[in-house]
Amino acid sequence: MPTTIERRAFSTGPNEWAHVDFTRRLYERVAGLGGGKVCELGGGARPAIELALLHEHNLECLVVDVSETELAKAPTGYSTLVGDVSSAGFSTGAHDGTYDLVFSRVLAEHVTDARQFHANARRLLRPGGVAMHFFPTLWWPPFVANRVLPESLAERILLRLEPFRVKSGITGKFPAYYRWCRGPTERQIARFASAGFTVEHCVAYFGESSHAPGKTLKKLNAAWTDYMLRHPSYLFTSYATYTLRAA
């Protein structure tokens, strides 16, 4: 199946921000499953799918996170598992190979071994199952800075731009490596193929207004976004949502 690439501005209003758009697409996918099993990787303190929606669609959901502390902050009612989703030893036991959908939300940029992470996601899925991942991408300038700056300085800048975050809270800052976090270039699609996936669909987002404080930067951000939508270079996406089919 050929890869479909959808170009999209990061935001045309609060209801169209990239993370909101991803959640809407995730919910549409979940609603179409008609029951089954889903697994969120890196769900931590804030699982993406509300319990009411899981019950409505007769879904089993496992939330995985490397931090037992973060999982303990999640609302009561989710099945949870402490594990490093980028390690060779990661497993959900007898549930491996049985999930209809495996997904992650702003997790992929934090994993240290991207190939292992995606191979693990593939191993969790039943034949023909689907993985969905949403993450920021290089080489969008603010994320390049986040990658190369010392972690303590990057955190101070982020907390200034996004004061709702708390260093040790449920929206804390975690180290970011951006391995395999790219727009839908040929090389990126080949990476997913090496982990056992075909790329069915990619939303390539351009722009990122929350990291462009001040009128001048916002104007530059808007102009660059408009140019990229008309003349896309997938080396310069700001975020991406991938829908991957287990090959």
Side-chain angles (χ1 to χ4, degrees):
M1 179 181 296
T3 299
T4 300
I5 301 174
E6 179 183 342
R7 300 193 297 272
R8 190 178 182 92
F10 170 83
S11 174
T12 54
N15 292 328
E16 298 298 325
W17 286 335
H19 62 279
V20 176
D21 182 55
F22 169 75
T23 300
R24 181 165 52 242
R25 293 169 190 268
L26 174 66
Y27 277 25
E28 289 172 355
R29 175 71 63 168
V30 164
L33 288 176
K37 297 175 64 174
V38 301
C39 180
E40 179 174 7
L41 304 178
R46 298 180 299 151
I49 304 178
E50 296 178 359
L51 287 167
L53 188 69
L54 294 172
H55 296 152
E56 178 184 351
H57 295 290
N58 193 30
L59 291 167
E60 298 179 38
C61 179
L62 177 68
V63 179
V64 180
D65 201 276
V66 70
S67 171
E68 184 175 4
T69 301
E70 290 298 307
L71 281 175
K73 300 174 187 174
T76 302
Y78 290 95
S79 297
T80 61
L81 174 68
V82 177
D84 181 354
V85 297
S86 64
S87 71
F90 174 73
S91 174
T92 61
H95 297 284
D96 284 7
T98 65
Y99 289 95
D100 301 283
L101 173 67
V102 172
F103 68 94
S104 70
R105 178 181 57 168
V106 290
L107 167 69
E109 70 272 24
H110 299 295
V111 303
T112 55
D113 187 336
R115 183 181 301 278
Q116 188 66 58
F117 167 69
H118 290 288
N120 286 344
R122 171 64 185 87
R123 185 162 44 81
L124 294 180
L125 288 165
R126 63 169 175 76
V130 168
M132 292 182 70
H133 301 289
F134 168 65
F135 47 78
T137 60
L138 293 179
W139 299 95
W140 187 246
F143 302 139
V144 175
N146 189 40
R147 176 66 183 89
V148 301
L149 288 174
E151 186 63 26
S152 59
L153 178 57
E155 181 176 63
R156 289 200 299 271
I157 293 172
L158 180 66
L159 292 175
R160 183 173 180 178
L161 292 173
E162 300 180 358
F164 62 85
R165 290 180 181 266
V166 179
K167 183 174 181 180
S168 60
I170 65 172
T171 54
K173 168 75 168 63
F174 302 98
Y177 308 101
Y178 300 99
R179 291 166 184 160
W180 286 26
C181 290
R182 306 290 190 274
T185 62
E186 289 185 6
R187 185 177 181 185
Q188 178 72 354
I189 291 170
R191 287 182 179 120
F192 287 130
S194 73
F197 287 104
T198 58
V199 180
E200 285 193 356
H201 187 271
C202 177
V203 186
Y205 301 95
F206 293 98
E208 216 289 55
S209 57
S210 69
H211 289 89
K215 291 183 179 180
T216 300
L217 287 178
K218 287 187 183 299
K219 287 181 179 179
L220 288 172
N221 177 70
W224 178 252
T225 299
D226 181 65
Y227 181 82
M228 281 290 106
L229 289 173
R230 290 183 288 109
H231 308 284
S233 170
Y234 296 123
L235 289 172
F236 299 108
T237 54
S238 53
Y239 288 84
T241 288
Y242 282 93
T243 300
L244 311 173
R245 179 74 64 175

